mmCIF file of all heavy atoms in Angstrom:
data_model
loop_
_atom_site.group_PDB
_atom_site.id
_atom_site.type_symbol
_atom_site.label_atom_id
_atom_site.label_comp_id
_atom_site.label_asym_id
_atom_site.label_seq_id
_atom_site.Cartn_x
_atom_site.Cartn_y
_atom_site.Cartn_z
ATOM 1 N N THR Z 17 -10.937 7.117 -0.848
ATOM 2 C CA THR Z 17 -10.380 6.369 0.295
ATOM 3 C C THR Z 17 -8.828 6.131 0.084
ATOM 4 O O THR Z 17 -8.181 6.109 1.075
ATOM 5 C CB THR Z 17 -11.061 4.921 0.412
ATOM 6 O OG1 THR Z 17 -11.713 4.569 -0.864
ATOM 7 C CG2 THR Z 17 -12.021 4.898 1.541
ATOM 8 N N GLY Z 18 -8.417 5.856 -1.184
ATOM 9 C CA GLY Z 18 -7.046 5.656 -1.410
ATOM 10 C C GLY Z 18 -6.206 6.877 -1.108
ATOM 11 O O GLY Z 18 -5.108 6.816 -0.535
ATOM 12 N N THR Z 19 -6.798 8.018 -1.510
ATOM 13 C CA THR Z 19 -6.134 9.336 -1.281
ATOM 14 C C THR Z 19 -6.060 9.632 0.212
ATOM 15 O O THR Z 19 -4.992 10.040 0.732
ATOM 16 C CB THR Z 19 -6.854 10.419 -2.006
ATOM 17 O OG1 THR Z 19 -6.824 10.164 -3.363
ATOM 18 C CG2 THR Z 19 -6.094 11.770 -1.805
ATOM 19 N N SER Z 20 -7.143 9.262 0.949
ATOM 20 C CA SER Z 20 -7.123 9.555 2.371
ATOM 21 C C SER Z 20 -6.072 8.585 3.107
ATOM 22 O O SER Z 20 -5.436 9.005 4.049
ATOM 23 C CB SER Z 20 -8.557 9.168 3.022
ATOM 24 O OG SER Z 20 -9.407 10.043 2.400
ATOM 25 N N ALA Z 21 -6.008 7.341 2.678
ATOM 26 C CA ALA Z 21 -5.000 6.404 3.215
ATOM 27 C C ALA Z 21 -3.623 6.877 2.962
ATOM 28 O O ALA Z 21 -2.713 6.795 3.846
ATOM 29 C CB ALA Z 21 -5.258 5.056 2.625
ATOM 30 N N VAL Z 22 -3.315 7.444 1.739
ATOM 31 C CA VAL Z 22 -1.964 7.910 1.453
ATOM 32 C C VAL Z 22 -1.685 9.167 2.300
ATOM 33 O O VAL Z 22 -0.576 9.241 2.831
ATOM 34 C CB VAL Z 22 -1.908 8.222 -0.087
ATOM 35 C CG1 VAL Z 22 -0.585 9.010 -0.339
ATOM 36 C CG2 VAL Z 22 -1.973 6.975 -0.876
ATOM 37 N N VAL Z 23 -2.653 9.963 2.566
ATOM 38 C CA VAL Z 23 -2.372 11.137 3.409
ATOM 39 C C VAL Z 23 -2.094 10.760 4.857
ATOM 40 O O VAL Z 23 -1.165 11.251 5.425
ATOM 41 C CB VAL Z 23 -3.614 12.158 3.323
ATOM 42 C CG1 VAL Z 23 -3.531 13.163 4.485
ATOM 43 C CG2 VAL Z 23 -3.721 12.811 2.024
ATOM 44 N N VAL Z 24 -2.838 9.829 5.391
ATOM 45 C CA VAL Z 24 -2.624 9.319 6.723
ATOM 46 C C VAL Z 24 -1.190 8.613 6.807
ATOM 47 O O VAL Z 24 -0.520 8.755 7.743
ATOM 48 C CB VAL Z 24 -3.653 8.337 7.120
ATOM 49 C CG1 VAL Z 24 -3.364 7.452 8.391
ATOM 50 C CG2 VAL Z 24 -4.999 9.040 7.365
ATOM 51 N N ALA Z 25 -0.759 7.896 5.749
ATOM 52 C CA ALA Z 25 0.463 7.258 5.725
ATOM 53 C C ALA Z 25 1.588 8.304 5.702
ATOM 54 O O ALA Z 25 2.525 8.166 6.374
ATOM 55 C CB ALA Z 25 0.537 6.354 4.497
ATOM 56 N N PHE Z 26 1.448 9.397 4.964
ATOM 57 C CA PHE Z 26 2.396 10.490 4.951
ATOM 58 C C PHE Z 26 2.503 11.116 6.301
ATOM 59 O O PHE Z 26 3.580 11.432 6.815
ATOM 60 C CB PHE Z 26 2.127 11.570 3.883
ATOM 61 C CG PHE Z 26 2.719 11.208 2.546
ATOM 62 C CD1 PHE Z 26 1.891 11.113 1.388
ATOM 63 C CD2 PHE Z 26 4.064 10.973 2.416
ATOM 64 C CE1 PHE Z 26 2.327 10.884 0.180
ATOM 65 C CE2 PHE Z 26 4.534 10.694 1.161
ATOM 66 C CZ PHE Z 26 3.797 10.645 0.036
ATOM 67 N N LEU Z 27 1.386 11.336 6.939
ATOM 68 C CA LEU Z 27 1.389 11.930 8.350
ATOM 69 C C LEU Z 27 1.992 10.969 9.286
ATOM 70 O O LEU Z 27 2.804 11.503 10.174
ATOM 71 C CB LEU Z 27 -0.058 12.236 8.821
ATOM 72 C CG LEU Z 27 -0.765 13.405 8.034
ATOM 73 C CD1 LEU Z 27 -2.076 13.468 8.452
ATOM 74 C CD2 LEU Z 27 0.031 14.705 8.142
ATOM 75 N N SER Z 28 1.832 9.672 9.163
ATOM 76 C CA SER Z 28 2.544 8.834 10.107
ATOM 77 C C SER Z 28 4.008 8.800 9.761
ATOM 78 O O SER Z 28 4.920 8.625 10.657
ATOM 79 C CB SER Z 28 2.059 7.356 9.844
ATOM 80 O OG SER Z 28 0.655 7.269 10.083
ATOM 81 N N TRP Z 29 4.406 8.927 8.512
ATOM 82 C CA TRP Z 29 5.842 8.978 8.210
ATOM 83 C C TRP Z 29 6.510 10.196 8.822
ATOM 84 O O TRP Z 29 7.660 10.213 9.269
ATOM 85 C CB TRP Z 29 6.013 8.932 6.732
ATOM 86 C CG TRP Z 29 7.445 9.130 6.279
ATOM 87 C CD1 TRP Z 29 8.543 8.168 6.510
ATOM 88 C CD2 TRP Z 29 8.047 10.228 5.667
ATOM 89 N NE1 TRP Z 29 9.600 8.723 6.003
ATOM 90 C CE2 TRP Z 29 9.500 9.935 5.529
ATOM 91 C CE3 TRP Z 29 7.530 11.416 5.193
ATOM 92 C CZ2 TRP Z 29 10.287 10.829 4.800
ATOM 93 C CZ3 TRP Z 29 8.457 12.339 4.555
ATOM 94 C CH2 TRP Z 29 9.713 12.003 4.398
ATOM 95 N N GLU Z 30 5.756 11.264 8.870
ATOM 96 C CA GLU Z 30 6.308 12.540 9.437
ATOM 97 C C GLU Z 30 6.595 12.291 10.923
ATOM 98 O O GLU Z 30 7.559 12.869 11.479
ATOM 99 C CB GLU Z 30 5.382 13.657 9.252
ATOM 100 C CG GLU Z 30 5.332 14.275 7.882
ATOM 101 C CD GLU Z 30 6.580 15.080 7.598
ATOM 102 O OE1 GLU Z 30 7.169 15.711 8.487
ATOM 103 O OE2 GLU Z 30 7.024 15.011 6.411
ATOM 104 N N ALA Z 31 5.702 11.621 11.644
ATOM 105 C CA ALA Z 31 5.817 11.347 13.047
ATOM 106 C C ALA Z 31 6.931 10.326 13.264
ATOM 107 O O ALA Z 31 7.645 10.445 14.324
ATOM 108 C CB ALA Z 31 4.520 10.778 13.590
ATOM 109 N N LEU Z 32 7.191 9.347 12.370
ATOM 110 C CA LEU Z 32 8.204 8.368 12.625
ATOM 111 C C LEU Z 32 9.442 8.510 11.813
ATOM 112 O O LEU Z 32 10.318 7.536 11.634
ATOM 113 C CB LEU Z 32 7.552 6.996 12.169
ATOM 114 C CG LEU Z 32 6.340 6.632 13.003
ATOM 115 C CD1 LEU Z 32 5.765 5.327 12.348
ATOM 116 C CD2 LEU Z 32 6.726 6.295 14.467
ATOM 117 N N ARG Z 33 9.699 9.726 11.260
ATOM 118 C CA ARG Z 33 10.852 10.005 10.320
ATOM 119 C C ARG Z 33 12.086 9.586 10.963
ATOM 120 O O ARG Z 33 13.005 9.068 10.268
ATOM 121 C CB ARG Z 33 10.864 11.366 9.870
ATOM 122 C CG ARG Z 33 11.932 11.703 8.892
ATOM 123 C CD ARG Z 33 11.973 13.076 8.525
ATOM 124 N NE ARG Z 33 10.837 13.337 7.668
ATOM 125 C CZ ARG Z 33 10.680 14.529 7.008
ATOM 126 N NH1 ARG Z 33 11.543 15.462 7.245
ATOM 127 N NH2 ARG Z 33 9.655 14.652 6.232
ATOM 128 N N GLN Z 34 12.432 9.811 12.285
ATOM 129 C CA GLN Z 34 13.702 9.664 12.901
ATOM 130 C C GLN Z 34 13.843 8.324 13.443
ATOM 131 O O GLN Z 34 14.896 7.956 13.909
ATOM 132 C CB GLN Z 34 13.908 10.603 13.953
ATOM 133 C CG GLN Z 34 13.809 12.134 13.515
ATOM 134 C CD GLN Z 34 14.816 12.389 12.507
ATOM 135 O OE1 GLN Z 34 15.927 11.946 12.510
ATOM 136 N NE2 GLN Z 34 14.443 13.305 11.563
ATOM 137 N N SER Z 35 12.802 7.375 13.357
ATOM 138 C CA SER Z 35 12.915 6.128 13.938
ATOM 139 C C SER Z 35 13.435 5.081 12.853
ATOM 140 O O SER Z 35 13.457 5.410 11.690
ATOM 141 C CB SER Z 35 11.621 5.710 14.549
ATOM 142 O OG SER Z 35 10.691 5.382 13.417
ATOM 143 N N LEU Z 36 13.722 3.892 13.359
ATOM 144 C CA LEU Z 36 14.229 2.898 12.406
ATOM 145 C C LEU Z 36 13.063 2.346 11.523
ATOM 146 O O LEU Z 36 13.327 2.206 10.396
ATOM 147 C CB LEU Z 36 14.695 1.665 13.285
ATOM 148 C CG LEU Z 36 15.191 0.414 12.504
ATOM 149 C CD1 LEU Z 36 16.326 0.754 11.698
ATOM 150 C CD2 LEU Z 36 15.507 -0.686 13.488
ATOM 151 N N ILE Z 37 11.918 2.338 11.987
ATOM 152 C CA ILE Z 37 10.855 1.887 11.177
ATOM 153 C C ILE Z 37 10.286 3.028 10.205
ATOM 154 O O ILE Z 37 9.561 2.667 9.292
ATOM 155 C CB ILE Z 37 9.626 1.298 12.034
ATOM 156 C CG1 ILE Z 37 8.859 0.204 11.282
ATOM 157 C CG2 ILE Z 37 8.765 2.393 12.521
ATOM 158 C CD1 ILE Z 37 8.080 -0.627 12.157
ATOM 159 N N GLY Z 38 10.760 4.214 10.346
ATOM 160 C CA GLY Z 38 10.338 5.275 9.564
ATOM 161 C C GLY Z 38 10.695 5.175 8.149
ATOM 162 O O GLY Z 38 9.845 5.564 7.296
ATOM 163 N N ARG Z 39 11.772 4.552 7.823
ATOM 164 C CA ARG Z 39 12.181 4.240 6.427
ATOM 165 C C ARG Z 39 11.182 3.371 5.740
ATOM 166 O O ARG Z 39 10.802 3.565 4.490
ATOM 167 C CB ARG Z 39 13.549 3.734 6.264
ATOM 168 C CG ARG Z 39 14.615 4.685 6.601
ATOM 169 C CD ARG Z 39 15.915 4.140 6.597
ATOM 170 N NE ARG Z 39 16.105 3.518 7.874
ATOM 171 C CZ ARG Z 39 17.019 2.554 8.241
ATOM 172 N NH1 ARG Z 39 17.816 2.141 7.288
ATOM 173 N NH2 ARG Z 39 17.155 2.083 9.447
ATOM 174 N N LEU Z 40 10.662 2.339 6.467
ATOM 175 C CA LEU Z 40 9.698 1.423 5.856
ATOM 176 C C LEU Z 40 8.260 2.131 5.683
ATOM 177 O O LEU Z 40 7.627 1.786 4.760
ATOM 178 C CB LEU Z 40 9.574 0.125 6.666
ATOM 179 C CG LEU Z 40 10.908 -0.595 6.664
ATOM 180 C CD1 LEU Z 40 10.735 -1.834 7.667
ATOM 181 C CD2 LEU Z 40 11.127 -1.235 5.339
ATOM 182 N N VAL Z 41 8.028 2.933 6.651
ATOM 183 C CA VAL Z 41 6.703 3.658 6.608
ATOM 184 C C VAL Z 41 6.763 4.642 5.447
ATOM 185 O O VAL Z 41 5.728 5.009 4.823
ATOM 186 C CB VAL Z 41 6.369 4.379 7.911
ATOM 187 C CG1 VAL Z 41 5.219 5.185 7.887
ATOM 188 C CG2 VAL Z 41 6.236 3.316 9.018
ATOM 189 N N ALA Z 42 7.812 5.073 4.986
ATOM 190 C CA ALA Z 42 7.981 6.003 3.816
ATOM 191 C C ALA Z 42 7.654 5.230 2.657
ATOM 192 O O ALA Z 42 7.039 5.875 1.638
ATOM 193 C CB ALA Z 42 9.450 6.506 3.718
#
Side-chain angles (χ1 to χ4, degrees):
T17 24
T19 303
S20 301
V22 170
V23 168
V24 168
F26 273 123
L27 291 174
S28 298
W29 176 67
E30 283 290 325
L32 299 171
R33 182 182 285 186
Q34 301 301 324
S35 70
L36 178 63
I37 205 161
R39 287 176 276 164
L40 294 173
V41 173

